[in-house]
Amino acid sequence: MAGRITLTMIKPDAVADGHTGKIVDMIIGAGYKIQAMKLTRLSKEKAEEFYAIHKERSFFGELVAFMTEGPIVAAILEKDNAVESFRNLIGATDPAKAAPGTIRNLFAKSIEANAVHGSDSADNAAIEGNFFFSQMERP
């Protein structure tokens, strides 16, 4: 299944703004099968664990605060070439640089409040999927 899955989080800004359904529709419309999905809220500890790779960066505290300010929707998505394809669907981190029609172009407010997360590699997709979902929560 490596290469066929990616993880996304619809971030607190997009959930709060009521964009969850539109984003999920775009994901399904792009040919993804949703393997698992849940509405949840990250604790400070869980957000720090998920973003540990950024711990030494100046924006770490702000990132953790942002990701804990409201609920998120986490989902494991399946499709051929899932990671690269999904990163094209979501667009550049900076919504001002995201291609027209991408998720971030349509729904992100800023580099920080950029609507969605997408795994950056097949290995990280597996790690991130395991972070949010037990085997019982998957088909």
Side-chain angles (χ1 to χ4, degrees), residues 10 32 41-42 61 65 67 70-71 77-79 81 94 114 119 122:
I10 301 174
Y32 286 89
R41 188 169 184 150
L42 291 171
M67 290 303 297
L77 309 174
E78 181 182 3
K79 180 180 177 178
N81 196 26
D94 181 349
N114 63 12
S119 301

Side-chain angles (χ1 to χ4, degrees), residues 43-124:
S43 66
K44 181 177 186 240
E45 295 75 24
K46 283 297 191 183
E48 287 174 343
E49 182 182 343
F50 187 82
Y51 288 107
I53 191 168
H54 299 302
K55 189 170 184 140
E56 301 305 319
R57 302 185 97 167
S58 61
F59 61 81
F60 181 72
E62 291 172 5
L63 175 61
V64 169
F66 168 68
M67 290 303 297
T68 58
E69 72 182 23
I72 58 119
V73 174
I76 296 174
L77 309 174
E78 181 182 3
K79 180 180 177 178
D80 287 338
N81 196 26
V83 171
E84 182 179 347
S85 176
F86 192 69
R87 293 189 68 80
N88 288 331
L89 177 64
I90 65 176
T93 304
D94 181 349
K97 296 177 182 174
T102 60
I103 292 172
R104 288 179 172 151
N105 169 258
L106 296 171
F107 303 112
K109 297 177 184 176
S110 66
I111 292 174
E112 295 80 19
N114 63 12
V116 292
H117 165 84
S119 301
D120 64 1
S121 69
D123 289 341
N124 281 341

Side-chain angles (χ1 to χ4, degrees), residues 8-21:
T8 190
M9 282 187 289
I10 301 174
K11 294 182 178 182
D13 58 314
V15 172
D17 290 343
H19 298 309
T20 302

